[in-house]
Amino acid sequence: MPYASNLQKLFDNKDFVITSEVSSPDASTHSTLIERLDHLKHSCDAINATDASGAHCHMSSMAASKIMIDQGIEPILQISCRDRNRIAIQGDVIGAHALGIRNILCLTGDGVETGDHPEAKAVFDLDSITLLQTISHIKNTGTFLSGRKLENQPDLFLGAASNPFAPPFDFRPFRLQKKIEAGCQFIQTQYCFDIPRLKSFMETARDLGLDKQCHILVGVGPLKSAATAEWITKNVPGVVIPDETIGLLRRTPKESQIQEGKKICIDIINQVRSIEGIAGVHIMAYLLDHLVPEIVSESILDKEVKSRKSGN
Amino acid sequence: MQTARLRLLEISYEISRSILHRLKPVFRQNRVTSTVFIGIETVTKKPLFNCKMCGQCILHSTGMVCPMNCPKNLRNGPCGGVRQNGNCEIQPTMKCVWVRAWDQSKKMRNHQKDIYTIQKPLDRRLTGTSAWLNDIHSSTR
C-alpha cells in the first residue's frame, strides 16, 4: 500500500510514534526555528508546525513546514479555521502539497479573544470537522468544494485534535468518531495529566472501534514549575492539571521543579504506553524544547527510537 | 431545560415541519412569503433560542440549542477549550452551547441520534433568510 507520508507508514508498521511541536518564531529569518528544531529532530518522527497558536501572530505554519523539509524533518502542517475561509484554506492545502507537505492537522483554533490581537475578525467559516471533510473531498475527488477540477489528486495524511479532558466528557469519543467519519486518520490529544480520565475515554473509543480506524497519539509535556502549572490551569482553556500534580511541584524546591516536571512527564508517558489502543505520544514542550531528547531517552520510548534507528 | 418543555418543542418542530412540507406548493419563495416567514421566525425563534437567522436551522439535531450562539459558530460539537465547569472558553460566564446541546439531545425522543450527524459547512448566502422556506424548498444542502 502506498503511503502519503512516512508518518503514516510508521503507524501502519505498528511503531510507537513520537511527534512533537515547534513554536513558530517571531522572526523573519530561519535561525531561531532551526535552533528549536535541532533539539527535537533526533527524538521525534514528525514535528507539528503550529498555526498562530493561542491566536498569537508567529511565522506561518506553511513557511515553518517548508523550512523543516529543507532540514530533512517531516512536518505536520497545522491549519486552523480561525484566520482563513474555505477559499484560502483550499489554496493552502494544494500549495502545501506542492511544497512536499503530506501531513495536515485540522484544527478549529482558539478564539481571537485569547490572543494578542483580540480586536481581529474571527473567521471560523469552517470548523475542524468540515475542514477535514473539505480536505478529504479534495483528496478523494481531485476537485475543489465547488466541483471545479484540479490537475491532480493530492495525496495527504489527515489528522485532528481531541480533548478527552474537557466537558462534555461522554461526548468526546463520539466527536472523535465524527472526525474519523470526516476523514481523520490520526489524532493528537490535548495535554494528558489525568490518566484515569484518559483510560475511560479510551474504553469508549475502543468499544466504538475508533482505535482501529484512527491512530491515537496522547499529548504530554513537561511543566517548568509549580507557578507555570498554576498559570496554565488558570489561563489555558482545555488543559487540566490535577491538584496533586501541582502540589507535588509546589513541595519541590524551586530550582529542581523543572526536573520534577520532566519526571512527571516521563511517568505519564510510561503509563500511557501500556494503555491499549494508543499509537504513540505527542510531546509538547513549549519553550522547553531542549528537554525533549532527555524525556525520550529517559522514558521507555528510548527503546523504540533505538530500535527504529537501527532498523529492527 | 425541563424535559417536558423540550418534548413540547420537539413536537412543535415535528408538527410545523410536516404542515409546512404539505403546504409547499402554497408557499412559493417570493418576496412577500419570505418577509412573512422571516417575521414569524424572528418573533418565535429569537426569544426561544436566541436564533441568529443563519437560514439553515438544525435545532432538532442539537437538543434544541442554537449552535450559532457558540462564539466559534461550531455546528459539529464542542471545541477542546470547554472549561471544567462546562462554561465557554471565550465567554467564561456562559454555559458551553455544546454542553447544553449534548445534555438536551439525550432527552429528545425522536431526534436523539441526530447530534451524531456531520453538518456540512454553512452556506453564508442564506444568512438572514427564512430557514423554514429554505427547508421546504431544500435550499440547504
Side-chain angles (χ1 to χ4, degrees), chain B residues 7 11 18 20-21 31 37 50 54 61 69-70 72 74 78 97 102 113 120 130-131 136:
Chain B
R7 192 62 43 76
I11 293 168
S18 133
L20 283 171
H21 272 264
R31 198 187 288 177
F37 268 79
N50 198 20
C54 70
S61 62
N69 284 287
C70 161
K72 297 182 184 176
L74 298 184
V97 166
W102 174 241
K113 303 262 181 244
K120 291 187 173 162
S130 157
I136 58 176

Side-chain angles (χ1 to χ4, degrees), chain A residues 252-297:
Chain A
T252 309
K254 261 208 172 115
E255 61 283 3
S256 40
Q257 284 185 357
I258 189 163
Q259 287 306 315
E260 187 60 34
K262 192 181 86 181
K263 221 178 102 206
I264 294 169
C265 176
I266 291 172
D267 183 48
I268 290 171
I269 292 175
N270 293 343
Q271 288 186 65
V272 160
R273 184 77 174 86
S274 61
I275 301 174
E276 192 191 335
I278 301 290
V281 287
H282 175 61
I283 307 173
M284 294 171 276
Y286 181 67
L287 300 182
L288 293 174
D289 308 298
H290 61 283
L291 288 182
V292 174
E294 296 171 31
I295 291 169
V296 171
S297 68

Side-chain angles (χ1 to χ4, degrees), chain A residues 86 108-109 111 113 124-127 129-130 133 163 165-168 170-172 174-175 178 181 237-238 240, chain B residues 72 74-84 86 89-90 99 102 106 115-122 124:
Chain A
R86 63 195 89 179
T108 297
E113 294 81 353
F124 297 117
D125 184 30
L126 303 176
D127 60 38
I129 290 182
T130 50
Q133 232 178 8
N163 190 357
F165 313 103
D170 51 343
F171 187 41
R172 294 292 168 183
F174 295 101
R175 180 153 158 84
K178 273 178 127 175
E181 226 177 285
V240 190
Chain B
K72 297 182 184 176
L74 298 184
R75 289 165 72 88
N76 276 303
C79 72
V82 183
R83 292 164 194 269
Q84 288 302 294
E89 72 163 34
I90 295 175
V99 168
W102 174 241
K106 286 191 277 198
I115 200 162
Y116 302 123
T117 310
I118 294 181
Q119 302 296 336
K120 291 187 173 162
L122 273 172
R124 308 284 168 176

Side-chain angles (χ1 to χ4, degrees), chain A residues 119-138:
Chain A
E119 72 283 13
K121 180 176 188 340
V123 179
F124 297 117
D125 184 30
L126 303 176
D127 60 38
S128 58
I129 290 182
T130 50
L131 173 60
L132 280 163
Q133 232 178 8
T134 301
I135 306 179
S136 299
H137 174 92
I138 296 176

Side-chain angles (χ1 to χ4, degrees), chain A residues 1 5 38 43 67 93 105 134 138 151 160 166 182 193 218 242 293 300:
Chain A
M1 182 190 153
S5 71
D38 278 342
S43 319
I67 294 170
V93 168
L105 193 83
T134 301
I138 296 176
E151 276 177 33
F193 292 102
V218 176
I300 51 174

